[in-house]
Structures are given as structure tokens and as C-alpha cells.
Amino acid sequence: MELRLASLHIHPIKSVGGMAVNEARLSDRGLEHDRRWMLVDAEGRFMTQRELPVLALLHTEPLVDGFRVCDTRDGAHLDLPWTLHAAHTRMCSVWSDRVRCITAPSDLSAWFSERCSTPLELVYLPDSTRRRTDGRYAKAITSLSDGFPYLVVNAASLRDLNERGQRTHADWIPVPMDRFRPNLVIEGAAPWVEDAWRTVQVGRVRFELVKPCGRCVIINTDQTTGARYTEPLRTLATFRSTGNKVLFGMNAVCADTGSVRVGDLVTALPAAELR
């Protein structure tokens, strides 16, 4: 079957709702504007939906020179620029990585603190900070993602997960793609064949798939209500577990420049076919 890029997703603030776009430029650390902002606690530790499911209720949409964050509970919103230039910085942590970030003005942090009912600081990752990926898998840099600049997902694998859930649980509610927070969603493949892919070429851009993505409780968080359930992680674990990891999607890197667009033709190759 012909493979196509079905959708593209940018998440300007780590663990806050993302946005679907028709076209995206590539940067040196992922899709342009993806995960350049994040929220941290008083010690500079990154905060996500793992600790704060309420972040699912903060959605984003593009503006001309930046983006808007909207609280779906009452419509309250905050407009932010794509890029922040300022003199004040602080060291922050994303897992075991220490990264120097620019601190946002206090009124912007106060908005998020109020929305989430906990003290938070908003920070931005500048170009001058180069955060490296795990060298065991790839020598690249990334933004404030969990570990790699791109997450590639096969739409058929999500359909298969939902079909399995519906067969075994009478009350299963289909899980949408936004639970998995991908960057690129590919349509036209068979379920789970991405396990064998080592490269995918989207239009003229070539991505290297370097490792499967281990999933956490965030995929159990409804991105419209903030409610947390036991699914789909529990069902996914019954057939997608390796060691202590539950796998869905592929982490990727890319050394190319240019843009990708929804509808682009995709060519996927397993390691055996690479030359």
C-alpha cells in the first residue's frame, strides 16, 4: 500500500496540548517550535502530565507571531511568542539532563501557576543550549522532548490497539491519537510494521528511526477532560511489553533540512533493505 503522512503535530510547551499543522519546517532539534517551552518547579525539575494531569486541559493554537494557550475549562487564554529573548537564565532538568533555559516574565509563570493550582515557572530553551540525545542510539540534539527530536507513529497500530480493546472490554472507548503526542503520523502501513523500519523518507526528508518509544501514564490521560484511566496502557502492556517498557511509536532523528507536509509520500525501509 502507498504510505502517506497523515498528520503533523507540534507541541510548543512540553506536556501541554499540541496543535495539528499542515506543514512544518525542520530545525536542528526537531520540528520548528516543538517543545521549546516547559514548566518547572522551584528546583527547576520539568513538570508534565505525569504529575499534573490538568496540563491536558491547556490547549494551544497558532497565531501569526506565536501561539495561544487556552484553558478549556473557562476559555481563559495566554498569548506567547514562538521565541523568547531575555537575559535571565536558570539551570533546569529533563530527566537526567541539565539544560540552561531562559526564564519567562513572572506574570506568564503566574498564569500557569494559577491554572494548575501549584507554583510553576515557565522557561524557554534557547538555540545556545544544545541538549544531546542518548549517544547509544543517535548522535543528535533535541529540544525539551523526553529524549529524541521526533516521534513517528503508525496510524494502523493505534487502530489495532483500539480493536483489541473493544474485543476484550465492553466499555472500551476508542483512544485518539493525541494521547500519544506524536510529531508525524503515517497512514497506509500494516499495524506494528514500524518495529522493523529503520528509515522513513517523508517527501524529500529522511528520518532515522533509532529506538521504540516507551510509554507512561500520560497515555491514560484524557486530553479533553484531564481524567486519568487505567487504559490504554494496561491493554497495550499485554502485547507490547519489553522488559519494563511498554512500547508505542518510534523515536527518530533527522539530519536533513527543509519541510514536511501532510499528504507527503512516505517510503519506509527496514534495516535489511538499506544500502
Side-chain angles (χ1 to χ4, degrees):
M1 292 180 64
E2 185 175 76
L3 307 186
R4 293 280 178 179
L5 184 62
S7 61
L8 270 170
H9 305 267
I10 293 171
H11 306 83
I13 305 176
K14 184 176 180 63
S15 220
V16 167
M19 59 182 74
V21 296
N22 289 322
E23 181 176 357
R25 288 194 294 267
L26 280 65
S27 76
D28 62 350
R29 65 199 74 196
L31 295 181
E32 187 178 37
H33 308 311
D34 188 61
R35 295 171 170 93
R36 296 299 293 264
W37 298 80
M38 71 175 174
L39 296 159
V40 301
D41 65 11
E43 285 72 44
R45 293 180 300 229
F46 74 117
M47 293 286 103
T48 72
Q49 292 182 34
R50 298 175 186 89
E51 304 85 14
L52 297 173
V54 67
L55 292 177
L57 302 179
L58 303 182
H59 291 195
T60 56
E61 59 186 49
L63 301 173
V64 174
D65 297 316
F67 64 100
R68 173 165 291 176
V69 186
C70 183
D71 190 325
T72 60
R73 292 169 293 187
D74 60 8
H77 66 268
L78 178 70
D79 293 346
L80 293 171
W82 289 123
T83 305
L84 185 64
H85 301 284
H88 296 96
T89 65
R90 67 173 299 183
M91 294 303 295
C92 301
S93 62
V94 182
W95 298 116
S96 60
D97 292 338
R98 297 284 290 168
V99 291
R100 183 169 294 280
C101 295
I102 296 172
T103 57
S106 58
D107 60 319
L108 302 183
S109 295
W111 189 87
F112 286 96
S113 299
E114 179 183 358
R115 295 284 116 188
C116 297
S117 303
T118 192
L120 296 169
E121 184 167 39
L122 181 67
V123 299
Y124 175 81
L125 183 77
D127 288 343
S128 57
T129 296
R130 296 176 64 81
R131 179 180 170 228
R132 300 197 177 278
T133 59
D134 188 331
R136 293 174 297 173
Y137 303 101
K139 297 187 184 301
I141 64 172
T142 188
S143 60
L144 296 168
S145 65
D146 271 2
F148 294 90
Y150 299 96
L151 178 62
V152 178
V153 167
N154 177 2
S157 297
L158 178 57
R159 285 196 294 272
D160 182 71
L161 170 61
N162 278 316
E163 289 167 4
R164 290 171 185 259
Q166 289 169 339
R167 288 197 299 267
T168 56
H169 303 286
D171 58 349
W172 181 274
I173 299 173
V175 177
M177 186 61 77
D178 63 3
R179 296 274 192 100
F180 297 91
R181 304 178 64 78
N183 295 119
L184 296 92
V185 178
I186 294 173
E187 185 64 91
W192 313 114
V193 296
E194 65 273 22
D195 290 344
W197 291 347
R198 289 300 172 264
T199 73
V200 291
Q201 182 161 322
V202 181
R204 297 173 180 266
V205 176
R206 179 166 167 154
F207 296 86
E208 304 292 333
L209 277 56
V210 297
K211 67 180 291 292
C213 182
R215 309 316 301 227
C216 70
V217 70
I218 289 178
I219 69 171
N220 289 344
T221 308
D222 189 313
Q223 299 297 298
T224 60
T225 67
R228 181 163 287 168
Y229 303 99
T230 58
E231 296 292 359
L233 191 60
R234 182 171 62 181
T235 293
L236 191 64
T238 64
F239 69 103
R240 293 290 297 172
S241 290
T242 300
N244 62 350
K245 300 288 187 182
V246 180
L247 307 178
F248 186 95
M250 297 294 290
N251 293 123
V253 300
C254 179
D256 289 347
T257 59
S259 301
V260 289
R261 300 168 184 83
V262 171
D264 276 349
L265 185 66
V266 174
T267 302
L269 291 176
E273 296 184 27
L274 296 179
R275 297 289 187 266

